[in-house]
Amino acid sequence: EVQLLESGGDSVQPGGSLSLSCEASGLTLGNYAMSWVRQAPGKGLQWVSVISATGDSIYNADSVKGRFTISRDNSKNTLYLQMGSLRAEDTAVYYCAKHSADHRYSPFDYWGQGTLVTVSS
Amino acid sequence: DIVLTQSPDSLAVSLGERVTINCKSSQSVFHSFKRKSSLAWFQQKPGQPPKLLISWASTRESGVPDRFSGSGSGTDFSLTISSLQAEDVAVYYCQQYYNAPPITFGQGTRLEIK
């Protein structure tokens, strides 16, 4: 059974940093592209970042460019999101989502349960 | 960026009735090589992550009840529930993966029981 388990969510002050992890089990993470998707309280889904299966292709949403960095360690079956210069509008549940193929032009077929990031003074 | 607009924003339907949710794309998401549209539908229940129901506009995922179906091509898509059940109460999202970045979602449609 495929499972994705996010961790690292916390409450942080504006301007602060945070690192999220997503540990995968039941699959070989290195065969698939992965994304981070966030959902602000009571709002819809917003894609944040995507990384190809090998890690050689990375794209970010304009709203997080220069502040967030997606990475992966396929040997550890783990995806990461390093978040910096955090703003109040970054407050959201952050989900890791698995693509069904090794590239970004494929649907999300599995999601983690999410981890809450709160940015507030 | 491709903008997806869902309609309606919310709806209340009686149990056993048919439900149709629409998703209109600002540009075609038809993949000429695959001969399929790069559009997915997700169901999100309160406190849960989204669940993939339909990919490639009309391919139902394994384990999804057959009362759920997807249709459409190019820019206009629909998710249909043939006979609404109580457990279908959720927010439904369409999403395109044709042109990325960015991957984009519709704003969501909230489905309730009348």
Side-chain angles (χ1 to χ4, degrees):
Chain A
E1 180 191 5
V2 173
Q3 289 194 335
L4 302 172
L5 183 62
E6 301 97 336
S7 61
D10 204 348
S11 183
V12 62
Q13 292 190 339
S17 299
L18 205 57
S19 182
L20 307 183
S21 299
C22 170
E23 186 171 353
S25 59
L27 78 160
T28 301
L29 196 68
N31 290 338
Y32 303 99
M34 295 293 294
S35 277
W36 287 97
V37 177
R38 68 185 181 184
Q39 187 169 35
K43 302 298 184 182
L45 301 167
Q46 181 189 26
W47 169 78
V48 173
S49 296
V50 62
I51 185 168
S52 63
T54 58
D56 59 354
S57 179
I58 288 173
Y59 295 93
N60 297 296
D62 287 346
S63 57
V64 306
K65 264 179 196 171
R67 300 189 301 122
F68 291 10
T69 302
I70 191 172
S71 62
R72 64 193 299 159
D73 186 337
N74 289 338
S75 68
K76 295 182 178 179
N77 245 24
T78 302
L79 175 74
Y80 304 98
L81 184 68
Q82 182 66 41
M83 310 166 68
S85 302
L86 283 162
R87 306 166 181 167
E89 55 264 35
D90 295 320
T91 294
V93 173
Y94 284 74
Y95 296 102
C96 62
K98 170 189 167 292
H99 289 256
S100 64
D102 62 355
H103 55 79
R104 63 189 183 274
Y105 303 109
S106 57
F108 300 124
D109 56 0
Y110 287 94
W111 298 63
Q113 289 297 312
T115 188
L116 176 62
V117 173
T118 303
V119 184
S120 173
S121 54
Chain B
D1 297 0
I2 294 178
V3 176
L4 299 179
T5 303
Q6 293 182 224
S7 61
D9 288 334
S10 64
L11 71 166
V13 177
S14 300
L15 290 173
E17 293 296 303
R18 185 182 185 89
V19 176
T20 299
I21 298 170
N22 300 302
C23 177
K24 187 172 185 64
S25 177
S26 61
Q27 65 187 75
S28 176
V29 297
F30 183 74
H31 198 296
S32 56
F33 179 73
K34 292 181 178 291
R35 305 297 297 170
K36 295 187 283 189
S37 291
S38 301
L39 187 112
W41 288 97
F42 295 89
Q43 175 192 65
Q44 187 178 31
K45 297 182 179 180
Q48 296 185 19
K51 174 188 175 183
L52 179 63
L53 298 176
I54 304 284
S55 60
W56 305 107
S58 60
T59 301
R60 190 184 311 113
E61 294 301 299
S62 175
V64 173
D66 61 7
R67 63 180 180 273
F68 290 90
S69 63
S71 63
S73 182
T75 61
D76 291 281
F77 302 90
S78 296
L79 173 70
T80 298
I81 307 173
S82 60
S83 176
L84 184 66
Q85 305 300 303
E87 60 265 32
D88 300 336
V89 169
V91 179
Y92 293 84
Y93 295 92
C94 58
Q95 176 242 331
Q96 67 82 22
Y97 44 95
Y98 175 82
N99 186 17
I103 295 166
T104 52
F105 293 88
Q107 81 275 20
T109 294
R110 185 175 302 275
L111 175 59
E112 298 174 335
I113 305 294
K114 186 188 292 183

